[in-house]
Amino acid sequence: SVDTGGDADFTSPILADGRIYIALKKRTRTRTNGVAAFDAATGKRLWEFATPMAVNHTPAYANGTLCVAEAGGRVYGLDASNGARKWHHDVIDSLGRYSYCAPAAWDGAFFAGVFRRVVRLGVADGHAAWESQLGDADSDWLSSYSSPAVGNGYLAMGGVPGKGASLAVTTLADGKKAWNHPADGGLLGSPTIAGDRILFCSRKSIFYCNRLKDGEPIWKVELGGKGDAAKWSATTPAVKLNGDGTGIVV
């Protein structure tokens, strides 16, 4: 075992190129906000990159670049081999946005932000191809803990905006909104894209499966027992698809 130098919040470690990367949060004076890399075989600390605010969730990796989404809305692209900063982008502006979301990597791009605003950034140079407001409410609030799901030409993101839709689906190419869904007033977990379908569980524990391209309902299931206490959920669906079009959802 090895001391990471910071405290894990929502993060999970990721493994790439023989290195383990983990996000850090400074809960006490002696700890660090940022991200650190360790040798996967020996546990030796290889490098650390400090950020002004905590990195609450898991970084993303693609083609030698590590993408780190810091709580204030600052997104960094780091050289994964040594932690050197390659680029950085402020989502919306340089003010704090209370982001608890993990970035996603897909087809040469990173996708990061909160329900209020999501940006598509080039892996190599951090170029912002588009930055779009997904939720109907343009507020600075936390926008839930949902992280973006990407696949099959679309991006999906959830939130708790206070009004309007709680799930939005956009096209990956240009960030234009394809459709949205109320999701019973809030989505705390992340949606999951599985082939031509999207699955998501509202905070009221109603589990939906819709068609990805247009939101057409396919099925929904109410989870949990009776009573309000049993209806709170922050579930992110896990899906295993089979080659014959069937699958398993957990």
Side-chain angles (χ1 to χ4, degrees), residues 19 27 29 38 42 67-68 75 123 156 171 185 204 213 215 239:
R19 293 180 289 269
R27 292 189 180 275
R29 290 178 58 187
F38 301 86
T42 66
C67 181
V68 179
V75 184
V123 167
T171 53
K204 293 186 177 180
K213 67 178 182 179
V239 180

Side-chain angles (χ1 to χ4, degrees), residues 48-127:
E48 179 182 285
F49 181 84
T51 54
M53 297 177 69
V55 180
N56 292 307
H57 218 317
T58 309
Y61 174 91
N63 300 328
T65 298
L66 193 72
C67 181
V68 179
E70 177 246 46
R74 288 167 281 273
V75 184
Y76 299 92
L78 309 179
D79 185 326
S81 66
N82 58 24
R85 189 173 85 173
K86 300 171 68 174
W87 50 261
H88 118 269
H89 178 84
D90 293 328
V91 178
I92 307 175
D93 54 37
S94 60
L95 301 178
R97 300 297 164 192
Y98 302 101
S99 171
Y100 276 73
C101 309
W106 183 269
D107 194 25
F110 291 118
F111 300 86
V114 294
F115 195 51
R116 180 187 179 194
R117 197 72 59 87
V118 173
V119 62
R120 174 176 177 152
L121 301 167
V123 167
D125 57 7
H127 170 71

Side-chain angles (χ1 to χ4, degrees), residues 97-157:
R97 300 297 164 192
Y98 302 101
S99 171
Y100 276 73
C101 309
W106 183 269
D107 194 25
F110 291 118
F111 300 86
V114 294
F115 195 51
R116 180 187 179 194
R117 197 72 59 87
V118 173
V119 62
R120 174 176 177 152
L121 301 167
V123 167
D125 57 7
H127 170 71
W130 53 259
E131 186 170 323
S132 299
Q133 178 185 325
L134 302 189
D136 297 320
D138 190 22
S139 70
D140 286 353
W141 186 236
L142 182 62
S143 299
S144 96
Y145 305 101
S146 180
S147 297
V150 293
N152 207 11
Y154 293 91
L155 176 145
M157 185 79 172

Side-chain angles (χ1 to χ4, degrees), residues 96-249:
R97 300 297 164 192
Y98 302 101
S99 171
Y100 276 73
C101 309
W106 183 269
D107 194 25
F110 291 118
F111 300 86
V114 294
F115 195 51
R116 180 187 179 194
R117 197 72 59 87
V118 173
V119 62
R120 174 176 177 152
L121 301 167
V123 167
D125 57 7
H127 170 71
W130 53 259
E131 186 170 323
S132 299
Q133 178 185 325
L134 302 189
D136 297 320
D138 190 22
S139 70
D140 286 353
W141 186 236
L142 182 62
S143 299
S144 96
Y145 305 101
S146 180
S147 297
V150 293
N152 207 11
Y154 293 91
L155 176 145
M157 185 79 172
V160 186
K163 67 177 183 179
S166 298
L167 173 78
V169 177
T170 73
T171 53
L172 281 181
D174 53 19
K176 291 183 178 179
K177 195 175 296 183
W179 57 273
N180 55 33
H181 192 284
D184 308 304
L187 196 67
L188 292 168
S190 302
T192 299
I193 293 175
D196 61 356
R197 302 184 181 191
I198 180 171
L199 299 98
F200 54 99
C201 189
S202 74
R203 65 177 176 175
K204 293 186 177 180
S205 292
I206 300 178
F207 194 10
Y208 295 89
C209 179
N210 290 36
R211 195 161 61 190
L212 178 60
K213 67 178 182 179
D214 56 12
E216 181 70 21
I218 298 174
W219 53 259
K220 70 177 181 178
V221 177
E222 188 170 354
L223 306 176
K226 295 181 179 180
D228 292 339
K231 296 302 180 185
W232 189 91
S233 176
T235 300
T236 296
V239 180
K240 179 183 182 300
L241 293 177
N242 299 323
D244 59 2
T246 62
I248 300 172
V249 181

